[in-house]
Amino acid sequence: MTGLLPEGFHDRLPPLADAAARLEERVLGVAGLYGYERADPPLAEFADELATRLKAARMHDAVRFVDPDSQRTLAIRPDITAQIGRIAATRMGHHPRPVRLSYAGPVLKLRASELRPKRALRQIGCELIGLDSVAAATEVVRIAVEALGAAGVEGVAIDFTLPDLVDLIAGDSLAPEALELLRERLDAKDAGGVAAIDARYLPLIEAAGPFSSALARLRAIDADGAIASRLDGLEQVAATLAGEAALTLDPTERHGFEYQSWLGFSIFAAGVRDEIGRGGTYAVLHEDGREEPAVGFSLFVDAILDAGLATGERRRLFLPFGTPPETGAKLRAEGWVTVAALEPGDTPEAQLCSHVLGSGAPSIFNRHPGESRDDG
């Protein structure tokens, strides 16, 4: 059937809706153990608040409309990070720093792309407001990796970047227009374009790949030590993940890191082409103009589930017609999901059950191959 939903919107049906809920529960559960308490901002708010809360953030991807009550422009959030920044700077401005907050909820993009056709998405994340130190960044990256592991996502890989690296190296040597063009050419790995601006930046294109070798190439380029502190900090963050995630470095990657400062990272999983999350350091803007450091990450629920990750095993126990209610209650207390036959002709096949109760104990029910239900 077509025409039921707008382009880029979708229903999430069983069992993937249940899988999304479990993913959210496990990720936020790990975050909670690290002291990250959940915040739940509204789906829409004043557009100017969203647009001005994060330094260098742009709201070009937000769906806007006029509030019939206030006659002010509202925006449906395309990302939740800016809202967490607003909460930390206003409602929780008095709270001792750092503030640790987690969140989960839907977001809406104004436009989709050919590679990412969905506009209505779900996002889970954590933000640490008040610090962007090596210790803070290390904690956030570790939570992301640990949370994905708890959710059953295997083969996690982290691709680090240094979003302000080019600005730091260039200093005042390039005009703003030339610097922006250089950033774009480096991001695109356009050696010819970089050479046309300043050939001295060509080695930055080659300083990408497996983390250790890429970092060594960056250190070789940094003859005067201008970026030594950045590289030292990055190395310390990465060192804590040794053996837990595959690590790579692309120091000039900027796509998706428009408001990050000294550190950014993309999260990938084995066998998945697109990133399943993103994070880094940034600045929250206060109403008095003060900039407050922060670091966080966001996980993309749709990318994770579409790749078949974190779906878990679907275990449904069929209770034949006439099974005593107390039997079902006992099994549910043991952790079983029970589906009771409500009429004599009901079957395990009809109820998509993986197990059936027989002779007083659950046993695996073998459905015919190919019988399943997904969200289409």
Side-chain angles (χ1 to χ4, degrees), residues 11 26 47 143 194 264 297 305 325 368 373:
D11 293 315
R26 289 170 183 173
I143 290 172
V194 171
F297 72 85
L305 297 182
H368 295 296
R373 179 171 63 184

Side-chain angles (χ1 to χ4, degrees), residues 47-261:
D48 53 1
E49 277 288 346
L50 281 176
T52 60
R53 195 52 67 181
L54 298 185
K55 185 178 181 181
R58 295 179 293 177
M59 294 298 295
H60 61 276
D61 215 10
V63 175
R64 293 175 170 84
F65 61 99
V66 176
D67 177 19
D69 185 22
S70 67
Q71 294 301 305
R72 291 179 61 183
T73 300
L74 303 184
I76 299 175
R77 62 191 182 199
D79 178 85
I80 303 179
T81 305
Q83 294 183 295
I84 299 299
R86 172 186 58 76
I87 289 172
T90 56
R91 304 290 300 278
M92 299 186 70
H94 65 286
H95 196 284
R97 267 33 185 177
V99 177
R100 290 175 168 88
L101 297 174
S102 63
Y103 61 85
V107 298
L108 179 64
K109 305 290 187 180
L110 179 62
R111 300 179 184 85
S113 65
E114 291 185 7
L115 293 178
R116 296 179 178 177
K118 291 182 179 179
R119 295 169 56 204
L121 305 162
R122 193 162 185 86
Q123 183 179 338
I124 309 173
C126 294
E127 309 296 334
L128 190 154
I129 313 294
L131 289 175
D132 66 352
S133 63
V134 170
T138 298
E139 177 177 287
V140 166
V141 179
R142 284 195 58 82
I143 290 172
V145 172
E146 187 176 327
L148 285 168
V153 178
E154 299 179 348
V156 173
I158 303 293
D159 183 39
F160 289 104
T161 186
L162 296 166
D164 68 352
L165 177 66
V166 178
D167 302 59
L168 192 64
I169 294 176
D172 298 327
S173 64
L174 292 175
E177 298 80 8
L179 181 59
E180 179 59 28
L181 185 60
L182 176 61
R183 293 193 199 102
E184 294 175 1
R185 295 294 181 262
L186 285 168
D187 192 17
K189 307 298 183 288
D190 178 4
V194 171
I197 300 170
D198 193 329
R200 291 177 299 175
Y201 294 93
L202 281 173
L204 291 177
I205 295 179
E206 300 174 359
F211 185 85
S212 296
S213 57
L215 185 68
R217 286 193 290 270
L218 268 183
R219 290 196 183 279
I221 294 169
D222 185 32
D224 59 359
I227 59 174
S229 62
R230 287 281 193 275
L231 302 184
D232 290 344
L234 176 61
E235 188 170 28
Q236 291 176 52
V237 174
T240 66
L241 300 173
E244 298 183 37
L247 305 179
T248 56
L249 172 61
D250 188 348
T252 61
E253 173 69 36
R254 291 183 66 243
H255 180 69
F257 296 99
E258 288 82 7
Y259 63 80
Q260 271 76 19
S261 54

Side-chain angles (χ1 to χ4, degrees), residues 280-326:
T281 59
Y282 58 96
V284 174
L285 300 183
H286 288 247
E287 293 179 354
D288 59 5
R290 180 168 55 91
E291 297 181 9
E292 184 173 23
V295 57
F297 72 85
S298 296
L299 299 179
F300 310 143
V301 174
D302 297 82
I304 293 172
L305 297 182
D306 289 349
L309 305 176
T311 54
E313 181 186 4
R314 193 181 192 190
R315 298 172 75 247
R316 289 160 62 89
L317 173 61
F318 182 77
L319 304 182
F321 184 74
T323 299
E326 56 271 21

